[in-house]
Amino acid sequence: MVFNRRDLSNEQLIHLYKNLLWPRLIEEKMLVLLRQGKISKWFSGIGQEAIAVGAAMALQEDEWIMPLHRNLGVFTSRKMPLRKLFMQWQGAQEGYTNGRERSFHFGTSEHHICGMISHLGPQLAIADGVALAYKLKKQDKVSLAFTGEGGTSEGDFHEALNVAAVWDLPVIFIIENNGYGLSTPVSEQFRCAQLADRAKGYGMESVVIDGNNVLTVYDTIKGVRDYCIKNQKPYLVECMTFRMRGHEEASGTKYVPAELFEQWKVKDPIKNFETFLIAGKVLSAEDIDNIHEEQKRRIEEEVRIGFDTKPIIVNSEHELREVYKASPGGETGSQHSPVGTAHNTSTIKAYATGGRFRREAPVPPRRDAATGPSVRFIDAIKQGLHQSMQKHQNLILMGQDIAEYGGAFKITEGFLQQFGKERVRNTPLCESAIVGTALGLSLEGYKSVMEMQFADFVSVGFNQIVNNLAKIHYRWGQNADVVIRMPTGAGVGAGPFHSQSNEAWFVHTPGLKVVYPSTPQDAKGLLIAAINDPNPVMYFEHKALYRSITGPVTDDYFEVEIGKARQVQEGNEISVITYGAGVHWAEDYASEHTDISFDILDLRTLLPLDYDAIAASVKRTGKVLVLHEDTLTGGIGGEIAAWIAENCFQYLDAPVLRCASLDTPVPFNLELEKNFLAKARLHESVQKLVNY
Ligand SMILES: Cc1ncc(C[n+]2csc(CCOP(=O)(O)OP(=O)(O)O)c2C)c(N)n1
């Protein structure tokens, strides 16, 4: 192996060497502890350390890195203390995730390391978002994301590289080509000669390098970093290496031909670097032995301290609270508990009672009752978005065709002229990467609103939403300050893929908030509240209401509180608990059937639900109909009915009924669609309750 030291001093070479050796020796110790059953899973990076270490050391310490499961060298090069890493691997409270995450699935903003989710590819687009933030702030910085060669087969790889290229983002993408994705060899993974060749297709530069040579990696990434910053462009680096152990320790290596290990053993990144250092008289063999001994001694010491963890005290209230970051007004959520305090019961008590964190900025006024001029539903959304753009200079809008074209429904028409192309961003057609980008922006303190062109298309951004945005705060204390606007619903003859109600997918996901307004006032106030909320919020806006519903809307900037239902009308015979278009169906029905006293509750927020308002309505009537446009099976109506049965049984005079749409895809033909929608069965359901 040929090493080129260029202008690196002896001290710098020794510094690199010590950083390279450190993760190797830690791993060797961990493999022993693993065999003793003292830690659980382990993904080995032995043989690949030069990539993680060389790359991390070529960056500035405040530049974000998105590492994967074999990148211990990133964590150690960022000087994360071994004792705490070791606590993390044991699942201890004092680790980086309060015992909630395993192996390398964690990050910390303190070290500018973004924790991976198991799905691998989603890491890449987060780097796009961070790089976009650097670009917008005009900072001379890059972000760096890792992928294995297996991960390059994921759509996320394609989407992330394409966005980085189209938006001229300073991102370094590193492929660690280690020959195998679990048991799958490269011959069954892709057909191109080198993965770096793909860069050309994205309009991006790339290079293939020896990933086992730490000086090559360090020098290349330093140069690539300069290139990315100077040219404001991404770059793809393919590092050739080999996985010297099994996929994870339990998987063994039987599926890898033995001769490959022989071939790669002689290319060991550490042994070779040591030979070079000795030959160049930078270090003597004895110096090297001493460094080994010194590091081993430190490891023993750190592990000894790292074993000294306190038992986790389980507290459900505390766990539930940490799913969310403190919300506007401090009603829900918390900051991640500081290490070493959460196991203390008095701290937990503080969380459960008064110890809530409040945001610094004052809460905007909350206005339920509208007093302003009559405004269409769609224009109220536009107002809320517009005023939020004025309020938050760090708010970025992203979506397909939202700039010059003004969006599929024209909600952002005129925004480009007023707020500029940097903040009003047309995106390529890639929902997953844009959700990932939104998360990356959030890591750097930006807010973003992403417009799904139709709620139906969220399915291709689903993973990033339910696994990354939703879980990140609970996992390692990072919030996702992202709103996703979801033009939803049927009634407009648009067929199966432009009409769906998919809110229940998200209501089932802890970590998200789900809002669904039915009036112009609520549409504006809830959108403002969603943007102010530091958590990921799915904002459903019913397309059929856009231009059919008008109502008074307060002119100025205000919030409608997330998590609070609206009493549409009070009555004492039948409760209709509903939201979205259902509210208007219920109101129309009630106005045509004045002989029945209806109590209509507009939920407005589906996650978290306003159980107090639901219970109050049940008590008033004793007969409940849950009405929604979503299909029946697995719809939120089932959840509400179950909750009422569990908590309000004594007030019921009839079984809780659900009136929902047919369990079919949404049909195109208007007559079929009319029959599909819950409204077609509303009369029947009400009569059933009346006559019970
Ligand atoms: C979306 C998804 N599918 C499957 C897996 C299971 N899995 C975990 S790692 C892995 C192989 C990854 O190979 P590669 O990207 O080359 O990285 P390496 O493990 O070789 O470093 C697989 C299939 C996963 N984690 N995520």
Side-chain angles (χ1 to χ4, degrees):
M1 197 176 290
V2 180
F3 287 91
N4 185 345
R5 66 184 289 174
R6 296 188 191 264
D7 53 359
L8 290 175
S9 66
N10 282 2
E11 286 67 35
Q12 286 172 310
L13 288 175
I14 295 167
H15 183 58
L16 262 177
Y17 168 63
K18 286 182 175 172
N19 275 279
L20 185 63
L21 182 64
W22 184 234
R24 168 70 60 90
L25 296 184
I26 291 174
E27 267 216 49
E28 287 177 352
K29 176 71 184 174
M30 292 308 129
L31 294 178
V32 173
L33 293 174
L34 186 76
R35 283 192 287 277
Q36 294 172 350
K38 298 205 170 125
I39 52 172
S40 63
K41 255 190 160 35
W42 192 262
F43 293 88
S44 175
I46 286 183
Q48 301 182 212
E49 297 95 337
I51 302 170
V53 173
M57 294 192 66
L59 259 57
Q60 297 298 307
E61 284 191 350
D62 61 352
E63 290 173 322
W64 280 92
I65 301 183
M66 285 70 195
L68 290 181
H69 48 294
R70 296 191 202 289
N71 295 136
L72 172 59
V74 168
F75 295 81
T76 53
S77 298
R78 283 279 160 99
K79 302 191 182 71
M80 292 168 91
L82 176 55
R83 61 188 71 176
K84 191 163 170 181
L85 287 172
F86 187 57
M87 288 168 175
Q88 169 65 26
W89 299 326
Q90 292 172 87
Q93 187 98 57
E94 299 95 326
Y96 287 95
T97 64
N98 294 320
R100 295 175 189 146
E101 260 293 14
R102 64 180 212 175
S103 57
F104 293 97
H105 296 194
F106 67 96
T108 75
S109 55
E110 184 193 345
H111 294 93
H112 295 87
I113 290 178
C114 177
M116 68 181 287
I117 61 169
S118 293
H119 306 66
L120 312 168
Q123 281 290 73
L124 298 160
I126 306 175
D128 288 353
V130 167
L132 175 58
Y134 293 156
K135 193 181 183 79
L136 294 175
K137 293 180 196 173
K138 303 201 175 3
Q139 291 177 331
D140 287 342
K141 285 181 167 185
V142 292
S143 59
L144 186 156
F146 287 90
T147 176
E149 85 290 342
T152 65
S153 300
E154 291 185 56
D156 279 312
F157 174 83
H158 164 73
E159 290 195 11
L161 268 71
N162 188 52
V163 169
V166 173
W167 285 1
D168 294 321
L169 302 176
V171 190
I172 305 174
F173 296 104
I174 293 189
I175 302 171
E176 289 188 76
N177 186 344
N178 66 2
Y180 284 82
L182 212 162
S183 74
T184 306
V186 290
S187 59
E188 293 180 30
Q189 195 70 250
F190 53 85
R191 272 289 171 273
C192 44
Q194 292 285 166
L195 287 164
D197 296 344
R198 292 190 183 171
K200 197 172 173 53
Y202 298 114
M204 188 186 298
E205 298 289 324
S206 70
V207 65
V208 182
I209 62 170
D210 177 359
N212 281 23
N213 185 325
V214 70
L215 293 190
T216 304
V217 176
Y218 178 74
D219 191 48
T220 304
I221 301 300
K222 263 199 162 316
V224 165
R225 179 180 177 275
D226 291 345
Y227 165 93
C228 292
I229 290 171
K230 181 161 170 271
N231 298 289
Q232 287 296 293
K233 283 198 182 305
Y235 202 100
L236 179 63
V237 182
E238 182 177 2
C239 297
M240 304 308 293
T241 186
F242 193 67
R243 201 189 67 205
M244 292 301 286
R245 299 193 65 86
H247 165 65
E248 43 98 19
E249 287 309 301
S251 77
T253 54
K254 282 207 180 79
Y255 44 87
V256 181
E259 60 269 24
L260 282 178
F261 289 106
E262 292 309 313
Q263 279 172 30
W264 282 91
K265 200 169 159 200
V266 295
K267 299 186 196 167
D268 183 78
I270 295 170
K271 286 256 155 21
N272 279 282
F273 196 41
E274 287 173 346
T275 307
F276 160 75
L277 293 173
I278 293 169
K281 299 203 177 356
V282 179
L283 288 172
S284 67
E286 198 189 342
D287 292 335
I288 284 187
D289 284 348
N290 288 340
I291 293 171
H292 276 245
E293 287 318 306
E294 157 63 11
Q295 290 202 352
K296 281 183 186 165
R297 199 191 48 70
R298 262 176 61 209
I299 288 170
E300 292 302 323
E301 173 67 2
E302 290 288 306
V303 166
R304 193 184 57 74
I305 299 169
F307 264 130
D308 186 22
T309 59
K310 301 187 181 69
I312 284 203
I313 294 174
V314 179
N315 180 310
S316 303
E317 172 93 5
H318 179 65
E319 292 305 299
L320 288 168
R321 200 176 293 280
E322 294 221 339
V323 172
Y324 297 96
K325 187 175 163 87
S327 299
E331 300 301 331
T332 58
S334 77
Q335 307 293 356
H336 232 233
S337 64
V339 177
T341 56
H343 50 78
N344 166 328
T345 22
S346 63
T347 312
I348 291 168
K349 234 179 176 170
Y351 273 106
T353 54
R356 292 168 183 168
F357 289 77
R358 296 182 185 268
R359 67 169 180 196
E360 311 77 48
V363 183
R366 289 190 169 136
R367 298 208 204 291
D368 263 13
T371 48
S374 200
V375 169
R376 292 186 305 177
F377 192 80
I378 190 166
D379 297 323
I381 297 173
K382 185 170 184 156
Q383 254 188 44
L385 199 57
H386 192 267
Q387 289 181 5
S388 295
M389 285 294 274
Q390 289 172 321
K391 194 88 188 164
H392 301 287
Q393 290 309 306
N394 64 339
L395 173 61
I396 308 296
L397 305 185
M398 297 184 287
Q400 288 152 28
D401 311 292
I402 67 162
E404 290 83 356
Y405 190 68
F409 298 100
K410 304 292 173 203
I411 285 180
T412 51
E413 197 161 48
F415 278 43
L416 174 68
Q417 290 73 12
Q418 192 168 348
F419 301 109
K421 225 172 159 49
E422 290 196 328
R423 294 181 66 202
V424 183
R425 307 186 71 89
N426 276 340
T427 73
L429 208 161
C430 51
E431 285 75 4
S432 183
I434 299 307
V435 179
T437 300
L439 178 52
L441 281 170
S442 183
L443 296 188
E444 273 293 306
Y446 280 88
K447 288 178 172 291
S448 57
V449 174
M450 175 188 177
E451 175 177 300
M452 283 289 160
Q453 203 154 65
F454 285 80
D456 308 65
F457 304 141
V458 77
S459 49
V460 284
F462 192 67
N463 186 39
Q464 287 281 29
I465 296 171
V466 302
N467 285 318
N468 241 337
L469 299 190
K471 297 179 175 51
I472 197 164
H473 189 264
Y474 180 72
R475 293 168 59 233
W476 54 279
Q478 171 64 50
N479 69 309
D481 201 342
V482 179
V483 175
I484 301 186
R485 286 187 36 233
M486 301 277 283
T488 190
V492 287
F497 302 113
H498 290 76
S499 310
Q500 290 175 82
S501 295
N502 50 25
E503 61 274 12
W505 299 353
F506 303 100
V507 170
H508 189 61
T509 305
L512 299 177
K513 295 189 180 182
V514 179
V515 300
Y516 199 145
S518 72
T519 67
Q521 174 81 352
D522 289 349
K524 177 176 171 183
L526 277 173
L527 182 56
I528 290 173
I531 292 168
N532 285 329
D533 196 304
N535 297 285
V537 183
M538 305 299 292
Y539 176 93
F540 284 83
E541 45 192 71
H542 201 300
K543 307 185 296 280
L545 304 185
Y546 275 159
R547 295 175 172 84
S548 67
I549 298 295
T550 55
V553 172
T554 308
D555 266 338
D556 54 6
Y557 180 77
F558 70 95
E559 280 189 4
V560 165
E561 188 178 345
I562 293 178
K564 285 276 179 283
R566 179 177 66 97
Q567 195 64 45
V568 180
Q569 66 177 59
E570 276 200 18
N572 56 22
E573 284 181 84
I574 288 181
S575 293
V576 182
I577 298 177
T578 186
Y579 57 94
V583 174
H584 301 284
W585 298 340
E587 280 189 293
D588 291 350
Y589 188 89
S591 66
E592 288 158 13
H593 298 81
T594 46
D595 52 323
I596 307 169
S597 171
F598 283 100
D599 193 89
I600 302 177
L601 187 68
D602 176 359
L603 290 167
R604 300 198 288 197
T605 299
L606 305 182
L607 184 63
L609 277 170
D610 186 347
Y611 290 112
D612 290 345
I614 293 172
S617 178
V618 179
K619 281 182 200 167
R620 276 195 291 272
T621 65
K623 289 187 174 182
V624 182
L625 179 68
V626 188
L627 169 67
H628 59 58
E629 179 177 328
D630 193 3
T631 49
L632 183 73
T633 306
I636 192 174
E639 182 61 35
I640 294 169
W643 186 88
I644 293 172
E646 281 171 5
N647 296 280
C648 305
F649 188 70
Q650 65 273 35
Y651 306 113
L652 288 176
D653 297 323
V656 179
L657 293 193
R658 290 170 297 160
C659 180
S661 294
L662 283 185
D663 279 332
T664 68
V666 188
F668 168 62
N669 178 288
L670 281 176
E671 284 308 309
L672 287 177
E673 188 188 48
K674 205 165 145 194
N675 178 60
F676 159 85
L677 286 170
K679 188 180 178 192
R681 280 165 296 285
L682 181 56
H683 180 64
E684 188 188 326
S685 303
V686 171
Q687 290 308 313
K688 215 166 153 184
L689 269 187
V690 168
N691 296 324
Y692 188 85

